[in-house]
Amino acid sequence: MRPTVFARIGRHTAKAIIIALLAVPACLSLRALRLPDDPNLTPLPARPHTFGELVELPPKVTAWVSDHFGFRANFIMADNIVRFKLFHEFPTVQVAYGQHGRYFMAAHAKNAGPYQAMTAVCGKGKATDATIPYLNKLFSTFHAAGLDPKLLVVASSPAVYPQDVPRSLVAECSSSDTAAARVLASPELLPEARQSILYPLKEMREIAKNTTLFPKTWFHWAGDGLDQVARLSLTAFWQTPLDQPPLKVYKHIGDSDLGHMIIGIKLTSELIEPNFEASGIKPCFGPDCYPEIDGVGRVLGDISRFHNPNAPKRRLLILSDSFGQKASQWYARYYGEVEHFCTSHTAKLTAQQVEAMKAYIYRNRADTDILLLYHDGGAMYDVLRLGTEPILPGAPAAKP
């Protein structure tokens, strides 16, 4: 009899504790009624006035409670940590754990299919229908303006490290028959465009064996291997002198550029980056780097410039997607001036800002090399097109 009483007390006590634990966050969720609406969270549904609205109310209330339940972020964080520590699982399709400790951006959107971002740059990827026509247009337009740009298509980490992708993708990502390779081989691509494009997949796979091209937890490239790719591109495009002294470097532990996608999980990698002070280079990062075109930097955001008094007095203009930020630093070894502009937000520029930017970046043509630098996902899937189309050069002014 006595054990039965204690057992009942224990069961009821457990129930009370569970109810109390749930009641605390439930009560805290009521605070949301007094706070301004967060556009990222489900809004509280309006009071129903018809039978149909009443029937639709329960799932709407459930969605609101799910988004506003007290300690919601803490519960999500705890779940993320447990799943990651025990199973290397992520709560999003956008990040994937591969092999040998490497992580990948697996999808560009939360509603994308499994491994969408990886298969797009591996063997099954297919460039958009607009890619080849735009590449033809791009180089024809530049050449008509008296300019001769070059395009470096950077192979992404799944293609560079096929041995590290999830096992089901190894064969596909080991292929060299990628979307970028097929575009370059297409008879629809004009010869003048083809001869101005470099897609060094094979070479990057070799470089990656001995140097860092992609830190293990990163989507973007970074590391001392970027210098070798820079040298490769300069040799292919301009036969630039490569006898400049190597940049001094430093190593540090940096947070992953994928970490913001996963609450509670900290991903880090060792980064190798140029030591500008020790290398005698003056760097500048951010909107204030170009007072000559005031306002443009505020819109573009990801811009930089480098002055190297010990390098040949020539200028390199880099137009890029987000892969240009790290790469531009290593090109500073070979040029007296490097000017880098990420084109991800050129569509937001006003007409006056576009004209000011074009006048500035296409100046001093005789002493300027122009490098377009986009990763394979950007070059083959319209990032290049959308970023550069607003700032294509016009025809040169007629001589008096």
Side-chain angles (χ1 to χ4, degrees), residues 321-337:
D321 57 13
S322 56
F323 271 54
Q325 183 186 86
K326 296 295 186 184
S328 59
Q329 304 175 27
W330 296 91
Y331 281 98
R333 174 182 175 183
Y334 307 101
Y335 285 85
E337 299 289 340

Side-chain angles (χ1 to χ4, degrees), residues 37-330:
D37 287 339
D38 185 336
N40 298 310
L41 303 178
T42 304
L44 182 67
R47 182 180 301 175
H49 297 286
T50 66
F51 179 74
E53 292 177 349
L54 181 64
V55 172
E56 296 173 353
L57 187 63
K60 293 181 179 180
V61 172
T62 299
W64 181 85
V65 171
S66 296
D67 270 2
H68 294 85
F69 199 69
F71 299 122
R72 175 179 179 272
N74 302 83
F75 287 134
I76 292 174
M77 185 183 301
D79 178 63
N80 290 349
I81 294 172
V82 170
R83 291 172 61 181
F84 175 74
K85 294 294 185 182
L86 295 182
F87 309 109
H88 272 113
E89 289 183 354
F90 294 103
T92 172
V93 298
Q94 292 188 268
V95 182
Y97 178 67
Q99 302 183 74
H100 313 121
R102 187 171 293 279
Y103 299 81
F104 297 91
M105 176 182 278
H108 289 107
K110 295 179 180 178
N111 58 352
Y115 303 126
Q116 165 267 328
M118 302 173 71
T119 56
V121 299
C122 290
K124 293 182 180 179
K126 183 180 183 297
T128 63
D129 293 338
T131 297
I132 292 178
Y134 182 69
L135 288 174
N136 291 337
K137 173 186 175 181
L138 181 146
F139 287 102
S140 297
T141 302
F142 268 100
H143 293 163
L147 297 168
D148 187 21
K150 307 299 181 182
L151 170 59
L152 173 61
V153 179
V154 178
S156 295
S157 61
V160 175
Y161 300 93
Q163 70 278 6
D164 291 346
V165 301
R167 287 185 175 85
S168 61
L169 298 178
V170 169
E172 180 180 345
C173 288
S174 296
S175 172
S176 297
D177 183 23
T178 63
R182 287 192 291 275
V183 164
L184 284 173
S186 172
E188 297 177 13
L189 187 67
L190 294 177
E192 63 183 281
R194 182 179 295 106
Q195 67 187 13
S196 296
I197 301 174
L198 176 65
Y199 170 57
L201 172 59
K202 178 181 177 181
E203 293 85 349
M204 288 181 65
R205 285 174 173 172
E206 287 299 314
I207 291 171
K209 293 178 180 179
N210 301 306
T211 60
T212 300
L213 277 175
F214 292 84
K216 284 198 169 185
T217 64
W218 277 50
F219 164 67
H220 291 93
W221 66 341
D224 51 339
L226 274 64
D227 181 62
Q228 293 192 39
V229 178
R231 296 172 70 86
L232 184 69
S233 65
L234 295 177
T235 300
F237 292 145
W238 295 295
Q239 291 77 51
T240 302
L242 302 177
D243 56 352
Q244 301 303 310
L247 297 182
K248 305 295 184 181
V249 300
Y250 73 102
K251 298 180 181 180
H252 66 101
I253 301 299
D255 291 339
S256 167
D257 60 355
L258 299 174
H260 67 282
M261 297 181 179
I262 318 140
I263 299 174
I265 299 174
K266 187 176 180 64
L267 301 177
T268 61
S269 284
E270 181 182 77
L271 301 182
I272 302 174
E273 302 195 78
N275 184 328
F276 295 112
E277 183 176 359
S279 301
I281 295 174
K282 181 181 179 181
C284 181
F285 299 92
D288 297 327
C289 290
Y290 294 92
E292 301 93 335
I293 42 175
D294 186 42
V296 171
R298 298 290 172 187
V299 177
L300 300 185
D302 182 6
I303 58 179
S304 55
R305 71 193 305 177
F306 307 89
H307 174 65
N308 184 354
N310 300 313
K313 298 186 182 304
R314 189 166 179 81
R315 171 176 168 253
L316 176 66
L317 168 64
I318 299 178
L319 302 177
S320 76
D321 57 13
S322 56
F323 271 54
Q325 183 186 86
K326 296 295 186 184
S328 59
Q329 304 175 27
W330 296 91

Side-chain angles (χ1 to χ4, degrees), residues 121 131 154 156 321 374-385:
V121 299
T131 297
V154 178
S156 295
D321 57 13
Y374 292 78
H375 77 292
D376 43 15
M380 299 297 111
Y381 300 97
D382 294 336
V383 174
L384 166 64
R385 177 177 67 83

